[in-house]
């Protein structure tokens, strides 16, 4: 239809706008005039979701996307200073405030040092008696420290043992990573041996959460019989039934429960369905328009520049967020003709890249084949109109067949092996990472030698052939 009419039917592949322009303006204005808080704006207006409102704000206030990273710089005191301060506190003749002021710290910090070195149970004062020598006080302090460490080890051992016996979690499970309900069960098992405050601190359990779950445990469990039924169904069906199918089986047995209740009971009983391995990023959304023929057919050799172009999108996941790269590779020498890097794999990412590549082509003489996968970015009207206006030829891989675009995938593999995988990207911002990738691609074109080009970079190879000056 597009080739015949040079247009698509009204409403084709276009989503109906959920919100009116007036609603969008009201939301952005409320955000601007009420403290610039996304949560309060959504709560006051009742719409939209957080991500949609963030997009609206980014369109009206682009500077709002920029964030400044910073924080409080913690002072690290030397261990010798901590030990001297604790010794002075335990054998003091003055007040703790005076000792803290002498060291240049606050009294709370001095008490925290004492708790770290001696434990919470150690007395804050060990003043010398008339018959005590400093050596005796030091021996007493070391004995109390060893006793505190021994008690700590005993508590950790007992909690791990109970986790294995009562909760059947295994000895390698960290008790701090258990749910608050499971931590409450551990506290109930050891509250006769250890103080509650000591158990709460060891498990990281808030006091209020303990009493809440304790009351829930003491109440009658109305789902006691259902729990056994759900577990039996789950085990009898190769442990592959999720909450939807479990709910369907329960309904057949005249046990009416909501999906949320089934989900909660499965979580409490530890009934987890095995998940498939995480797949790499893919933009395929189905056959939204007719796909052209695979003209490349895995022949990635070209006799002249701008004869065959390859393109795709790859994803980088760093602690600061996700970054996407969309390049166009020339099959003649592997030169990256153009590229765009952004935080969203949208149509603007690929359209900007294509516009830059078209500018480098003599449209009266050259008609490159643009080969891609079947991603949605390469099937929308914006991409199709650019291809048609520039007199380019489209080519697409077969569905789910990455080897049909192996040369472009190989470029991504080399880039990630040489730049991405071996480095720790903690502390690197999105803007810094984009600049690093951009610098690498320029180096790839200008400096990185390729054996297939006679140990020359793509730019040097073209200069050697006299294609560029």
């Amino acid at each position: 239809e597009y080739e015949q009419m040079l247009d698509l039917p009204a409403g084709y592949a276009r989503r109906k706008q959920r919100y009116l322009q007036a609603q969008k303006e009201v939301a952005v204005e409320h955000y601007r005039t009420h403290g610039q808080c996304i949560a309060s704006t959504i709560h006051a207006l009742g719409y939209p979701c957080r991500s949609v409102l963030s997009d609206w704000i980014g369109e009206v206030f682009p500077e709002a996307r920029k964030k400044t990273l910073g924080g409080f710089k913690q002072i690290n005191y030397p261990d010798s200073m901590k030990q001297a301060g604790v010794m002075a506190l335990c054998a003091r003749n003055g007040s703790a405030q005076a000792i803290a002021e002498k060291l240049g710290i606050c009294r709370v910090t001095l008490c925290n040092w004492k708790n770290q070195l001696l434990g919470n149970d150690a007395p804050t004062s060990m003043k010398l008696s008339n018959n005590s020598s400093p050596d005796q006080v030091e021996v007493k302090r070391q004995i109390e420290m060893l006793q505190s460490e021994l008690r700590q080890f005993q508590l950790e051992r007992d909690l791990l043992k109970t986790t294995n016996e009562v909760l059947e979690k295994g000895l390698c499970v960290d008790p701090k990573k258990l749910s608050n309900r499971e931590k409450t069960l551990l506290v109930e098992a050891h509250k006769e041996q250890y103080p509650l405050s000591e158990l709460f601190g060891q498990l990281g359990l808030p006091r209020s959460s303990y009493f809440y779950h304790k009351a829930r445990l003491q109440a009658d469990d109305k789902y006691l019989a259902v729990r056994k039924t759900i577990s039996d169904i789950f085990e009898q069906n190769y442990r592959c039934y999720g909450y939807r199918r479990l709910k369907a089986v329960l309904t057949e047995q005249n046990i009416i429960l909501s999906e949320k209740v089934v989900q909660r009971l499965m979580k409490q009983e530890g009934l987890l369905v095995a998940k498939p391995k995480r797949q790499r990023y893919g933009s395929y959304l189905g056959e939204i328009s007719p796909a052209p023929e695979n003209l490349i057919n895995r022949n990635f050799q070209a006799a002249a520049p701008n004869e065959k172009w390859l393109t795709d999108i790859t994803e980088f996941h760093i602690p600061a967020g996700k970054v996407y790269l969309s390049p166009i590779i020339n099959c003649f020498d592997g030169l990256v003709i153009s590229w765009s890097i952004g935080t969203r794999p949208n149509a603007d990412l690929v359209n900007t890249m294509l516009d830059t590549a078209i500018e480098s082509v003599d449209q009266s003489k050259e008609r490159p084949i643009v080969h891609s996968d079947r991603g949605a970015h390469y099937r929308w009207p914006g991409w199709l109109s650019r291809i048609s206006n520039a007199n380019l030829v489209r080519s697409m891989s077969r569905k789910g067949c990455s080897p049909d675009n192996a040369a472009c995938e190989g470029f991504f593999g080399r880039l990630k092996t040489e730049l991405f995988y071996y480095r720790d990207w903690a502390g690197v911002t999105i803007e810094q990472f984009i600049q690093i990738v951009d610098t690498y691609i320029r180096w790839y074109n200008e400096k990185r030698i390729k054996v297939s080009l006679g140990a020359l970079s793509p730019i040097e190879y073209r200069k050697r052939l006299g294609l560029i000056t």
Side-chain angles (χ1 to χ4, degrees), residues 208-436:
S208 58
S209 298
Y210 163 72
F211 287 105
Y212 169 77
H213 286 284
K214 180 180 178 181
R216 293 290 299 272
L217 291 172
Q218 291 175 349
D220 295 335
D221 187 3
K222 63 180 180 180
Y223 298 117
L224 184 61
V226 178
R227 293 178 188 273
K228 180 66 169 58
T229 304
I230 291 177
S231 298
D232 292 342
I233 296 172
F234 188 78
E235 295 294 339
Q236 293 169 5
N237 292 278
Y238 300 97
R239 302 180 64 85
C240 66
Y241 273 15
Y243 69 92
R244 293 184 180 89
R245 288 194 282 180
L246 273 178
K247 179 182 181 300
V249 176
L250 291 173
T251 303
E252 291 180 357
Q253 299 180 9
N254 295 323
I255 301 176
I256 308 302
L257 296 175
S258 68
E259 291 183 349
K260 289 186 177 181
V261 172
V262 176
Q263 275 186 303
R264 184 175 74 248
L265 295 178
M266 288 182 66
K267 183 178 180 181
Q268 293 175 356
E269 297 300 318
L271 307 180
L272 301 177
V273 180
K275 296 181 180 179
K277 293 184 178 179
R278 182 180 179 182
Q279 301 295 322
R280 68 180 183 87
Y281 169 76
S283 59
Y284 181 72
L285 297 180
E287 297 300 310
I288 61 176
S289 65
E293 184 181 357
N294 185 359
L295 301 178
I296 297 294
N297 197 24
R298 302 193 184 182
N299 180 12
F300 303 109
Q301 303 298 322
N306 298 328
E307 182 178 312
K308 299 176 182 177
W309 288 355
L310 308 176
T311 186
D312 201 352
I313 297 179
T314 190
E315 176 188 277
F316 301 89
H317 196 176
I318 63 175
K322 292 183 179 180
V323 176
Y324 298 89
L325 168 66
S326 176
I328 286 185
I329 311 296
N330 198 321
C331 286
F332 174 67
D333 51 8
L335 178 73
V336 185
I337 300 174
S338 66
W339 63 93
S340 57
I341 311 172
T343 57
R344 295 186 179 182
N346 51 22
D348 291 337
L349 189 74
V350 296
N351 292 342
T352 303
M353 167 204 66
L354 183 60
D355 291 338
T356 305
I358 291 174
E359 294 175 358
S360 65
V361 177
D362 185 356
Q363 300 182 21
S364 62
K365 298 179 181 179
E366 299 173 318
R367 193 184 182 193
I369 298 175
V370 183
H371 182 79
S372 66
D373 61 12
R374 298 201 175 195
H377 312 87
Y378 314 116
R379 310 178 82 164
W380 293 122
W383 177 270
L384 299 178
S385 62
R386 284 171 169 81
I387 293 288
S388 177
N389 295 337
N391 201 27
L392 305 180
V393 181
R394 295 174 65 209
S395 173
M396 277 191 171
S397 305
R398 290 168 293 179
K399 177 182 176 182
C401 189
S402 60
D404 283 355
N405 201 10
C408 191
E409 299 287 355
F411 167 76
F412 292 152
R414 287 189 294 273
L415 186 153
K416 292 187 177 181
T417 300
E418 297 174 358
L419 175 72
F420 183 71
Y421 288 139
Y422 71 95
R423 295 180 59 178
D424 182 12
W425 298 100
V428 178
T429 64
I430 295 292
E431 293 76 13
Q432 292 172 341
F433 183 80
I434 290 176
Q435 184 60 43
I436 290 172

Side-chain angles (χ1 to χ4, degrees), residues 59-183:
E59 294 174 2
V60 181
F61 307 109
E63 65 278 3
R65 292 182 179 271
K66 300 180 180 179
K67 296 182 179 179
T68 302
L69 300 180
F72 175 74
K73 184 177 181 181
Q74 185 177 2
I75 301 176
N76 294 322
Y77 296 96
D79 294 337
S80 58
M81 180 179 178
K82 294 181 180 181
Q83 295 174 0
V86 173
M87 287 293 296
L89 176 66
C90 295
R92 67 176 183 256
N93 292 319
S95 64
Q97 182 65 32
I99 297 173
E101 292 177 354
K102 184 177 180 181
L103 295 173
I105 60 175
C106 65
R107 185 179 62 83
V108 176
T109 301
L110 181 61
C111 293
N112 289 337
W113 289 357
K114 188 270 298 180
N115 293 336
Q116 292 174 5
L117 296 177
L118 304 182
N120 296 328
D121 297 333
T124 57
S125 177
M126 299 179 186
K127 290 185 64 176
L128 295 175
S129 63
N130 296 332
N131 298 326
S132 300
S133 64
D135 292 339
Q136 292 175 336
V137 173
E138 177 63 21
V139 170
K140 180 181 178 181
R141 186 188 68 81
Q142 293 181 359
I143 292 175
E144 292 178 348
M145 184 183 300
L146 292 174
Q147 290 175 344
S148 177
E149 292 178 355
L150 178 60
R151 181 179 178 84
Q152 182 73 15
F153 291 143
Q154 289 176 343
L155 175 57
E156 293 177 358
R157 183 203 62 183
D158 293 343
L159 290 177
L160 288 174
K161 185 178 180 181
T162 306
T163 302
N164 181 42
E165 294 178 353
V166 177
L167 304 180
E168 298 180 356
K169 293 286 187 179
L171 294 174
C172 60
V173 174
D174 185 1
K176 291 185 177 181
K177 296 183 179 180
L178 299 175
S179 65
N180 286 345
R181 179 178 180 273
E182 294 170 334
K183 292 177 182 179

